[in-house]
Tab-separated table of all heavy atoms in Angstrom:
chain	number	residue	atom	x	y	z
K	346	SER	N	97.626	120.047	65.167
K	346	SER	CA	97.238	119.044	64.179
K	346	SER	C	97.022	117.645	64.850
K	346	SER	O	96.094	116.936	64.455
K	346	SER	CB	98.275	118.958	63.071
K	346	SER	OG	99.557	118.665	63.632
K	347	CYS	N	97.848	117.300	65.797
K	347	CYS	CA	97.647	116.047	66.538
K	347	CYS	C	96.359	116.105	67.346
K	347	CYS	O	95.671	115.069	67.475
K	347	CYS	CB	98.834	115.749	67.443
K	347	CYS	SG	100.271	115.070	66.582
K	348	HIS	N	96.045	117.243	67.902
K	348	HIS	CA	94.813	117.366	68.704
K	348	HIS	C	93.592	117.058	67.841
K	348	HIS	O	92.643	116.411	68.254
K	348	HIS	CB	94.727	118.769	69.291
K	348	HIS	CG	93.571	118.965	70.214
K	348	HIS	ND1	92.328	119.370	69.789
K	348	HIS	CD2	93.475	118.766	71.580
K	348	HIS	CE1	91.496	119.415	70.825
K	348	HIS	NE2	92.145	119.075	71.934
K	349	GLU	N	93.637	117.535	66.608
K	349	GLU	CA	92.470	117.323	65.693
K	349	GLU	C	92.408	115.859	65.282
K	349	GLU	O	91.291	115.342	64.989
K	349	GLU	CB	92.655	118.193	64.444
K	349	GLU	CG	92.503	119.681	64.751
K	349	GLU	CD	92.714	120.540	63.485
K	349	GLU	OE1	92.905	119.959	62.406
K	349	GLU	OE2	92.779	121.780	63.603
K	350	SER	N	93.515	115.153	65.272
K	350	SER	CA	93.531	113.778	64.792
K	350	SER	C	93.110	112.747	65.879
K	350	SER	O	92.770	111.628	65.569
K	350	SER	CB	94.921	113.393	64.268
K	350	SER	OG	95.840	113.314	65.350
K	351	ILE	N	93.122	113.157	67.166
K	351	ILE	CA	92.775	112.252	68.260
K	351	ILE	C	91.253	112.135	68.384
K	351	ILE	O	90.570	113.144	68.534
K	351	ILE	CB	93.395	112.719	69.593
K	351	ILE	CG1	94.900	112.834	69.507
K	351	ILE	CG2	93.006	111.749	70.733
K	351	ILE	CD1	95.563	113.509	70.717
K	352	THR	N	90.746	110.911	68.251
K	352	THR	CA	89.283	110.687	68.303
K	352	THR	C	88.827	110.514	69.737
K	352	THR	O	89.625	110.262	70.656
K	352	THR	CB	88.909	109.451	67.470
K	352	THR	OG1	89.534	108.291	68.097
K	352	THR	CG2	89.412	109.542	66.041
K	353	ASP	N	87.490	110.603	69.941
K	353	ASP	CA	86.936	110.376	71.280
K	353	ASP	C	87.217	108.978	71.781
K	353	ASP	O	87.436	108.758	72.970
K	353	ASP	CB	85.410	110.619	71.238
K	353	ASP	CG	85.061	112.075	71.027
K	353	ASP	OD1	85.952	112.951	71.319
K	353	ASP	OD2	83.931	112.391	70.630
K	354	GLU	N	87.231	107.987	70.835
K	354	GLU	CA	87.544	106.611	71.220
K	354	GLU	C	88.960	106.501	71.732
K	354	GLU	O	89.229	105.750	72.678
K	354	GLU	CB	87.355	105.689	70.023
K	354	GLU	CG	85.890	105.431	69.635
K	354	GLU	CD	85.312	106.596	68.812
K	354	GLU	OE1	86.119	107.521	68.421
K	354	GLU	OE2	84.111	106.596	68.577
K	355	GLU	N	89.870	107.274	71.131
K	355	GLU	CA	91.270	107.231	71.562
K	355	GLU	C	91.474	107.920	72.903
K	355	GLU	O	92.466	107.722	73.569
K	355	GLU	CB	92.169	107.873	70.498
K	355	GLU	CG	92.325	107.039	69.250
K	355	GLU	CD	93.117	107.791	68.165
K	355	GLU	OE1	92.886	108.996	67.948
K	355	GLU	OE2	94.006	107.153	67.606
K	356	ARG	N	90.509	108.745	73.298
K	356	ARG	CA	90.604	109.429	74.598
K	356	ARG	C	89.961	108.617	75.727
K	356	ARG	O	89.986	109.022	76.863
K	356	ARG	CB	89.925	110.814	74.528
K	356	ARG	CG	90.682	111.821	73.658
K	356	ARG	CD	90.058	113.227	73.811
K	356	ARG	NE	90.818	114.227	73.073
K	356	ARG	CZ	90.524	114.607	71.841
K	356	ARG	NH1	89.494	114.053	71.207
K	356	ARG	NH2	91.249	115.518	71.233
K	357	ALA	N	89.391	107.481	75.400
K	357	ALA	CA	88.727	106.636	76.399
K	357	ALA	C	89.766	106.155	77.428
K	357	ALA	O	90.813	105.627	77.018
K	357	ALA	CB	88.021	105.442	75.727
K	358	PRO	N	89.497	106.308	78.729
K	358	PRO	CA	90.468	105.893	79.756
K	358	PRO	C	90.779	104.398	79.708
K	358	PRO	O	89.917	103.577	79.391
K	358	PRO	CB	89.767	106.275	81.069
K	358	PRO	CG	88.685	107.250	80.684
K	358	PRO	CD	88.272	106.884	79.294
K	359	THR	N	92.024	104.081	80.011
K	359	THR	CA	92.448	102.681	80.128
K	359	THR	C	92.860	102.352	81.578
K	359	THR	O	93.463	101.336	81.827
K	359	THR	CB	93.614	102.350	79.174
K	359	THR	OG1	94.744	103.156	79.544
K	359	THR	CG2	93.229	102.645	77.741
K	360	ALA	N	92.540	103.271	82.486
K	360	ALA	CA	92.921	103.080	83.893
K	360	ALA	C	91.803	103.665	84.775
K	360	ALA	O	91.068	104.541	84.353
K	360	ALA	CB	94.262	103.751	84.206
K	361	THR	N	91.726	103.143	85.992
K	361	THR	CA	90.808	103.692	86.986
K	361	THR	C	91.643	104.229	88.146
K	361	THR	O	92.677	103.682	88.489
K	361	THR	CB	89.776	102.649	87.495
K	361	THR	OG1	90.512	101.545	88.057
K	361	THR	CG2	88.911	102.159	86.367
K	362	PHE	N	91.129	105.287	88.788
K	362	PHE	CA	91.888	106.006	89.810
K	362	PHE	C	91.084	105.993	91.110
K	362	PHE	O	89.907	106.258	91.153
K	362	PHE	CB	92.073	107.478	89.384
K	362	PHE	CG	92.918	107.610	88.126
K	362	PHE	CD1	92.366	107.421	86.881
K	362	PHE	CD2	94.252	107.886	88.193
K	362	PHE	CE1	93.112	107.507	85.705
K	362	PHE	CE2	95.023	107.994	87.042
K	362	PHE	CZ	94.451	107.780	85.792
K	363	HIS	N	91.807	105.682	92.217
K	363	HIS	CA	91.149	105.552	93.506
K	363	HIS	C	92.041	106.167	94.596
K	363	HIS	O	93.296	106.128	94.495
K	363	HIS	CB	90.891	104.075	93.819
K	363	HIS	CG	90.279	103.343	92.639
K	363	HIS	ND1	88.991	103.425	92.291
K	363	HIS	CD2	90.925	102.546	91.713
K	363	HIS	CE1	88.763	102.695	91.211
K	363	HIS	NE2	89.898	102.150	90.832
K	364	ASP	N	91.453	106.710	95.607
K	364	ASP	CA	92.145	107.385	96.692
K	364	ASP	C	92.182	106.477	97.936
K	364	ASP	O	91.120	106.149	98.489
K	364	ASP	CB	91.476	108.711	97.033
K	364	ASP	CG	92.276	109.534	98.044
K	364	ASP	OD1	93.381	109.106	98.395
K	364	ASP	OD2	91.759	110.579	98.471
K	365	SER	N	93.382	106.089	98.388
K	365	SER	CA	93.504	105.240	99.550
K	365	SER	C	93.458	106.040	100.868
K	365	SER	O	93.342	105.453	101.927
K	365	SER	CB	94.843	104.472	99.514
K	365	SER	OG	95.934	105.350	99.728
K	366	LYS	N	93.609	107.360	100.741
K	366	LYS	CA	93.595	108.261	101.883
K	366	LYS	C	94.769	107.989	102.863
K	366	LYS	O	94.632	108.228	104.067
K	366	LYS	CB	92.252	108.246	102.603
K	366	LYS	CG	91.080	108.627	101.742
K	366	LYS	CD	89.816	108.844	102.545
K	366	LYS	CE	88.606	109.127	101.633
K	366	LYS	NZ	88.826	110.285	100.771
K	367	HIS	N	95.857	107.451	102.338
K	367	HIS	CA	97.088	107.460	103.080
K	367	HIS	C	98.300	107.346	102.120
K	367	HIS	O	98.134	106.848	101.024
K	367	HIS	CB	97.119	106.415	104.215
K	367	HIS	CG	97.186	104.980	103.771
K	367	HIS	ND1	97.628	103.968	104.614
K	367	HIS	CD2	96.821	104.351	102.639
K	367	HIS	CE1	97.548	102.811	103.999
K	367	HIS	NE2	97.051	103.004	102.794
K	368	ASN	N	99.424	107.855	102.576
K	368	ASN	CA	100.654	107.815	101.788
K	368	ASN	C	101.163	106.388	101.758
K	368	ASN	O	101.652	105.879	102.762
K	368	ASN	CB	101.680	108.779	102.423
K	368	ASN	CG	103.006	108.813	101.676
K	368	ASN	OD1	103.420	107.830	101.069
K	368	ASN	ND2	103.677	109.919	101.757
K	369	ILE	N	101.042	105.726	100.606
K	369	ILE	CA	101.334	104.295	100.500
K	369	ILE	C	102.834	104.089	100.383
K	369	ILE	O	103.513	104.705	99.560
K	369	ILE	CB	100.587	103.685	99.335
K	369	ILE	CG1	99.093	103.774	99.520
K	369	ILE	CG2	100.987	102.216	99.152
K	369	ILE	CD1	98.260	103.339	98.338
Side-chain angles (χ1 to χ4, degrees):
S346 57
C347 281
H348 186 271
E349 293 177 5
S350 70
I351 301 172
T352 64
D353 290 340
E354 288 78 9
E355 290 176 314
R356 291 189 176 93
T359 62
T361 57
F362 297 81
H363 315 281
D364 186 7
S365 70
K366 300 190 185 303
H367 68 159
N368 180 329
I369 298 173

